[in-house]
Amino acid sequence: MLVNELNHSKEKKCQYEKEKAEREVAVRQLQQKRDDVLNKRSATKALLDASSCHCIYLENGMQDSRKKLDQMRSQFQEIQDQLTATVRCTKEMEGDAQKLEVENVMMRKIIKKQDEQIERFEKILQHSSLMLQVFES
Protein backbone atom coordinates (compact mmCIF):
# COMPACT_ATOMS: atom_id res chain seq x y z
CA MET A 1 0.00 0.00 0.00
CA LEU A 2 2.86 2.32 0.69
CA VAL A 3 4.18 1.51 -2.74
CA ASN A 4 0.82 2.37 -4.22
CA GLU A 5 0.80 5.66 -2.41
CA LEU A 6 4.34 6.34 -3.51
CA ASN A 7 3.45 5.53 -7.13
CA HIS A 8 0.31 7.59 -6.83
CA SER A 9 2.36 10.49 -5.39
CA LYS A 10 4.90 10.16 -8.20
CA GLU A 11 2.09 10.24 -10.76
CA LYS A 12 0.59 13.26 -9.07
CA LYS A 13 4.03 14.91 -8.98
CA CYS A 14 4.52 14.18 -12.69
CA GLN A 15 1.04 15.49 -13.43
CA TYR A 16 1.71 18.64 -11.37
CA GLU A 17 5.07 19.15 -13.09
CA LYS A 18 3.42 18.64 -16.46
CA GLU A 19 0.66 21.12 -15.52
CA LYS A 20 3.33 23.49 -14.16
CA ALA A 21 5.26 23.23 -17.45
CA GLU A 22 2.03 23.85 -19.40
CA ARG A 23 1.24 26.85 -17.18
CA GLU A 24 4.77 28.19 -17.68
CA VAL A 25 4.33 27.81 -21.46
CA ALA A 26 0.94 29.55 -21.20
CA VAL A 27 2.51 32.32 -19.07
CA ARG A 28 5.35 32.77 -21.61
CA GLN A 29 2.80 32.90 -24.44
CA LEU A 30 0.70 35.44 -22.53
CA GLN A 31 3.84 37.47 -21.77
CA GLN A 32 4.77 37.35 -25.47
CA LYS A 33 1.26 38.46 -26.46
CA ARG A 34 1.45 41.24 -23.86
CA ASP A 35 4.82 42.35 -25.24
CA ASP A 36 3.45 42.25 -28.80
CA VAL A 37 0.43 44.31 -27.75
CA LEU A 38 2.66 46.82 -25.94
CA ASN A 39 4.95 47.07 -28.98
CA LYS A 40 1.97 47.55 -31.29
CA ARG A 41 0.55 50.12 -28.86
CA SER A 42 3.88 51.95 -28.81
CA ALA A 43 4.14 51.86 -32.60
CA THR A 44 0.52 52.99 -32.92
CA LYS A 45 1.14 55.86 -30.49
CA ALA A 46 4.23 56.91 -32.43
CA LEU A 47 2.27 56.78 -35.67
CA LEU A 48 -0.57 58.73 -34.07
CA ASP A 49 1.89 61.35 -32.79
CA ALA A 50 3.47 61.63 -36.24
CA SER A 51 0.05 61.88 -37.85
CA SER A 52 -0.96 64.52 -35.33
CA CYS A 53 2.18 66.56 -36.06
CA HIS A 54 1.60 66.19 -39.79
CA CYS A 55 -2.03 67.21 -39.34
CA ILE A 56 -0.98 70.33 -37.42
CA TYR A 57 1.58 71.09 -40.15
CA LEU A 58 -1.09 70.72 -42.82
CA GLU A 59 -3.54 72.90 -40.87
CA ASN A 60 -0.88 75.60 -40.52
CA GLY A 61 -0.16 75.30 -44.23
CA MET A 62 -3.87 75.66 -44.99
CA GLN A 63 -4.08 78.76 -42.80
CA ASP A 64 -1.06 80.26 -44.59
CA SER A 65 -2.62 79.39 -47.94
CA ARG A 66 -5.91 80.99 -46.91
CA LYS A 67 -4.07 84.16 -45.83
CA LYS A 68 -2.21 84.25 -49.15
CA LEU A 69 -5.47 83.64 -51.02
CA ASP A 70 -7.13 86.50 -49.13
CA GLN A 71 -4.16 88.75 -49.93
CA MET A 72 -4.32 87.75 -53.59
CA ARG A 73 -8.06 88.40 -53.67
CA SER A 74 -7.48 91.81 -52.11
CA GLN A 75 -4.72 92.60 -54.61
CA PHE A 76 -6.93 91.37 -57.45
CA GLN A 77 -9.74 93.64 -56.26
CA GLU A 78 -7.34 96.59 -56.07
CA ILE A 79 -6.08 95.89 -59.59
CA GLN A 80 -9.64 95.49 -60.84
CA ASP A 81 -10.60 98.81 -59.23
CA GLN A 82 -7.54 100.48 -60.79
CA LEU A 83 -8.44 99.03 -64.17
CA THR A 84 -12.01 100.28 -63.85
CA ALA A 85 -10.73 103.75 -62.93
CA THR A 86 -8.26 103.67 -65.84
CA VAL A 87 -10.99 102.66 -68.29
CA ARG A 88 -13.26 105.42 -66.96
CA CYS A 89 -10.43 107.97 -67.19
CA THR A 90 -9.58 106.79 -70.72
CA LYS A 91 -13.19 107.21 -71.81
CA GLU A 92 -13.25 110.70 -70.29
CA MET A 93 -10.02 111.54 -72.08
CA GLU A 94 -11.42 110.22 -75.36
CA GLY A 95 -14.47 112.42 -74.85
CA ASP A 96 -12.24 115.40 -74.07
CA ALA A 97 -10.09 114.62 -77.13
CA GLN A 98 -13.20 114.56 -79.34
CA LYS A 99 -14.32 117.90 -77.90
CA LEU A 100 -10.87 119.35 -78.52
CA GLU A 101 -10.92 118.00 -82.07
CA VAL A 102 -14.27 119.69 -82.69
CA GLU A 103 -12.95 122.92 -81.17
CA ASN A 104 -9.82 122.62 -83.32
CA VAL A 105 -11.89 122.23 -86.48
CA MET A 106 -14.01 125.25 -85.51
CA MET A 107 -10.90 127.32 -84.73
CA ARG A 108 -9.38 126.43 -88.11
CA LYS A 109 -12.57 127.54 -89.84
CA ILE A 110 -12.51 130.82 -87.91
CA ILE A 111 -8.82 131.31 -88.72
CA LYS A 112 -9.50 130.59 -92.39
CA LYS A 113 -12.33 133.15 -92.44
CA GLN A 114 -10.11 135.67 -90.68
CA ASP A 115 -7.32 135.01 -93.19
CA GLU A 116 -9.79 135.59 -96.03
CA GLN A 117 -10.96 138.81 -94.39
CA ILE A 118 -7.38 139.98 -93.91
CA GLU A 119 -6.65 139.30 -97.58
CA ARG A 120 -9.75 141.32 -98.60
CA PHE A 121 -8.74 144.16 -96.31
CA GLU A 122 -5.21 144.11 -97.74
CA LYS A 123 -6.63 144.28 -101.26
CA ILE A 124 -8.89 147.12 -100.24
CA LEU A 125 -5.92 148.91 -98.69
CA GLN A 126 -3.86 148.37 -101.81
CA HIS A 127 -6.68 149.78 -103.97
CA SER A 128 -7.08 152.67 -101.59
CA SER A 129 -3.37 153.40 -101.68
CA LEU A 130 -3.36 153.32 -105.45
CA MET A 131 -6.33 155.60 -105.60
CA LEU A 132 -4.69 158.06 -103.26
CA GLN A 133 -1.59 158.08 -105.37
CA VAL A 134 -3.61 158.66 -108.46
CA PHE A 135 -5.49 161.55 -106.88
CA GLU A 136 -2.36 163.12 -105.51
CA SER A 137 -0.56 163.08 -108.71
Side-chain angles (χ1 to χ4, degrees), residues 20-129:
K20 179 183 174 188
E22 288 173 354
R23 281 192 303 272
E24 286 176 353
V25 168
V27 166
R28 282 194 298 268
Q29 287 176 345
L30 289 173
Q31 287 174 339
Q32 184 62 42
K33 283 184 180 179
R34 182 200 65 201
D35 290 345
D36 290 346
V37 167
L38 289 176
N39 286 338
K40 286 180 182 177
R41 180 179 165 212
S42 178
T44 302
K45 185 178 182 318
L47 183 60
L48 181 62
D49 289 345
S51 294
S52 178
C53 287
H54 188 66
C55 186
I56 290 170
Y57 172 78
L58 290 175
E59 285 176 359
N60 289 339
M62 280 183 59
Q63 286 178 351
D64 290 344
S65 295
R66 284 185 181 126
K67 286 179 184 177
K68 288 178 182 176
L69 178 62
D70 288 342
Q71 289 174 346
M72 290 173 73
R73 283 182 177 153
S74 177
Q75 289 173 345
F76 177 76
Q77 186 62 46
E78 288 176 16
I79 290 170
Q80 197 172 26
D81 292 346
Q82 289 174 353
L83 178 62
T84 301
T86 301
V87 167
R88 186 178 337 109
C89 183
T90 301
K91 286 181 180 179
E92 289 174 6
M93 290 174 69
E94 287 174 352
D96 290 344
Q98 286 177 348
K99 288 178 187 175
L100 288 173
E101 187 65 33
V102 168
E103 285 181 28
N104 190 12
V105 168
M106 291 175 62
M107 292 294 263
R108 287 180 186 199
K109 286 181 182 178
I110 291 171
I111 290 171
K112 186 177 178 183
K113 285 182 182 179
Q114 287 177 345
D115 281 346
E116 290 172 356
Q117 275 185 335
I118 289 171
E119 283 180 25
R120 276 187 298 217
F121 287 139
E122 285 177 344
K123 286 180 182 177
I124 291 173
L125 278 173
Q126 282 178 353
H127 281 290
S128 298
S129 287

